[in-house]
Amino acid sequence: MLLYLCDLIGVAVFAISGALAAGRIGLDWLGVSIIAAVTAIGGGTLRDILLARPVFWLRDPIYLYVILGATLLTIVWGHFLTVPLPALLILDALGLALFALAGAQIAEEAKLPPIIIVLAGTMTGVAGGVVRDVLCDRIPLLLRGDIYATAAIVGILVYLLVHRLGTRRGAAFAAGFAVVFGVRLAAIVWGLNLPVFRFSQG
């Protein structure tokens, strides 16, 4: 139940993030809905396909209703109120943390090796945002040097370590979530970036 609830919250948050991104470039309501949907379900869909699981939103349409509701609320919010500029990044950080940990737990339930758990969780957290940015004609956060996927990787590793030490799963989830969200927020606030690789051509 906890995993399911976090999944629904993550879908709603990423749908809002996608709708805000679409609104910033002036898409119509259908375009906003499409961007919101691919942002919300893109990572989980790819995860389920690679893990040979039933795609989560095909077997439980409530996810689609959550996306629709979150999108409509965002449109109303943006129409009547001023949307703070940092809102997109903060919501994206929240969605990243929720989806990364939820994806990791799903891979863990399948008894996969730790490295696959980390990869599956990270992919669940970042893939929807990558598709969103590409469709909105932006360089994805994943490729800009931002501490983004790195935050997911570190948080999932913390979750696995804390859980392996005998801590209850819910507490381990909370610890991993706090690390992902905290690291991503720190990167946003202080402009932290990964080192950039450059070389001189002879």
Side-chain angles (χ1 to χ4, degrees), residues 88-120:
L88 175 59
L89 290 175
I90 293 173
L91 284 170
D92 192 75
L94 181 58
L96 174 67
L98 286 167
F99 266 21
L101 270 297
Q105 287 195 330
I106 287 171
E108 186 181 38
E109 288 176 350
K111 303 189 183 306
L112 296 171
I115 190 170
I116 304 301
I117 294 173
V118 173
L119 289 174

Side-chain angles (χ1 to χ4, degrees), residues 171-193:
F173 182 100
F177 172 88
V179 170
V180 178
F181 190 59
V183 170
R184 181 62 190 136
L185 277 187
I188 293 169
V189 172
W190 289 299
L192 304 178
N193 293 286

Side-chain angles (χ1 to χ4, degrees), residues 138-149:
R138 302 168 61 208
I139 298 175
L141 284 170
L142 184 64
L143 303 178
R144 290 188 223 163
D146 289 47
I147 296 179
Y148 189 66

Side-chain angles (χ1 to χ4, degrees), residues 1-11 14 40 43-45 47-48 51 53 56 59 63 93-110 112 116-126 152 155-157 159-160 169-170 172-174 176-178 180:
M1 180 56 70
L2 176 62
L3 183 59
Y4 181 61
L5 181 60
C6 288
D7 226 20
L8 289 176
I9 295 172
V11 163
F14 260 165
T45 300
R47 174 204 64 214
D48 288 347
L51 296 183
R53 301 175 72 249
F56 69 103
R59 54 188 171 84
Y63 287 100
L94 181 58
L96 174 67
L98 286 167
F99 266 21
L101 270 297
Q105 287 195 330
I106 287 171
E108 186 181 38
E109 288 176 350
L112 296 171
I116 304 301
I117 294 173
V118 173
L119 289 174
T122 303
M123 179 177 57
T124 305
V126 306
I156 294 168
L157 288 173
Y159 161 75
L160 290 174
R169 199 179 189 199
F173 182 100
F177 172 88
V180 178

